[in-house]
Amino acid sequence: MTFLLLLVTLTACAASPQDLSGKMFTFPQETNTARVILTPTPIQELSALTICHRSFTDLKRDHALFSLATQSNSNALLIFWDETNKEMEPHIRDKKTEYRGQDYKPNTWHSICTTWDSASGLVQLWFDGQPSMRKYVSSGAIRGSTMIILGQEQDTHGGGFDLKQCFVGMMSDVHMWDYTLSPCEMQKYVDDLNFTPGNVLNWRAMEFQIIDRVLIEDKLMTCH
């Protein structure tokens, strides 16, 4: 019975879509195993995208915020904080660009969104609702079988985790679209208004698998 309980605690999954509204994933410790695998709507390729999430951490080192790998590109889509250079780094198809100047305060909820279009190859970061300049990163669609992971950075498809790049903290409201959101839709997401949920990943109807110690809790907000 004890073993069965442990198994249920360490590996949990939502075989059918689960509404996570008002919830968050809590990653409570530094580890190279704990993660959440997200199951997207079936896609053949991504020629444009927007990925948004809210996160809260006190980490003072490098860490991954979102990791999507394919068989051919381990960093097909990676959102990464580089602590040494104090920059947010979107990676697309194993190419990256850097954004500096974000007020990435510890112990604070931040809304972080990234858009990319394969035709132009341009990426743009929206940090707490403020748009960055648009930069070239990579052209050409993202193709192949995807593995999407929260909590770890993939150096191989579904693996290659580094203890010193894991995420420790809380994460919520993960949405992904197969198109670039308009500035008005982006603002609605930031303000948590009536925005159109993601059609690739939808926090309100999410299929996922939890591996090791990641908790689903009520989202902690400050009391006003």
Side-chain angles (χ1 to χ4, degrees), residues 161-207:
F161 307 134
D162 183 337
L163 184 73
K164 294 303 180 182
Q165 293 182 339
C166 77
F167 177 78
V168 181
M170 291 97 78
M171 193 169 292
S172 185
D173 300 330
V174 181
H175 288 266
M176 183 174 175
W177 299 259
D178 63 359
Y179 56 90
T180 58
L181 287 190
S182 69
C184 288
E185 280 289 328
M186 196 73 75
Q187 195 60 52
K188 286 180 182 178
Y189 171 84
V190 172
D191 294 337
D192 202 14
L193 298 175
N194 188 26
F195 64 90
T196 304
N199 63 345
V200 178
L201 294 172
N202 178 358
W203 191 250
R204 303 170 194 165
M206 188 71 79
E207 290 187 46

Side-chain angles (χ1 to χ4, degrees), residues 55-161:
S55 56
F56 184 112
T57 184
D58 67 351
L59 286 173
K60 294 183 178 179
R61 59 159 171 77
D62 295 355
H63 55 275
L65 291 162
F66 182 90
S67 176
L68 183 155
T70 63
Q71 296 288 359
S72 53
N73 299 112
S74 60
N75 293 332
L77 170 58
L78 171 67
I79 311 301
F80 191 84
W81 174 254
D82 181 329
E83 176 67 20
T84 301
N85 296 305
K86 306 294 184 186
E87 61 191 25
M88 199 66 72
E89 298 176 349
H91 297 236
I92 304 286
R93 301 175 73 239
D94 293 340
K95 302 292 196 311
K96 74 166 181 172
T97 190
E98 301 88 14
Y99 286 103
R100 298 191 180 112
Q102 284 75 40
D103 190 13
Y104 193 41
K105 294 178 182 176
N107 295 313
T108 303
W109 280 106
H110 293 289
S111 294
I112 302 170
C113 295
T114 304
T115 67
W116 170 74
D117 177 72
S118 66
S120 64
L122 296 183
V123 67
Q124 186 174 30
L125 181 73
W126 293 70
F127 188 86
D128 288 338
Q130 296 300 310
S132 68
M133 68 172 287
R134 289 155 62 79
K135 294 185 178 184
Y136 179 82
V137 61
S138 179
S139 300
I142 296 171
R143 298 186 176 90
S145 173
T146 59
M147 174 66 72
I148 300 176
I149 289 179
L150 303 179
Q152 302 289 341
E153 192 272 313
Q154 302 176 77
D155 284 335
T156 60
H157 186 260
F161 307 134

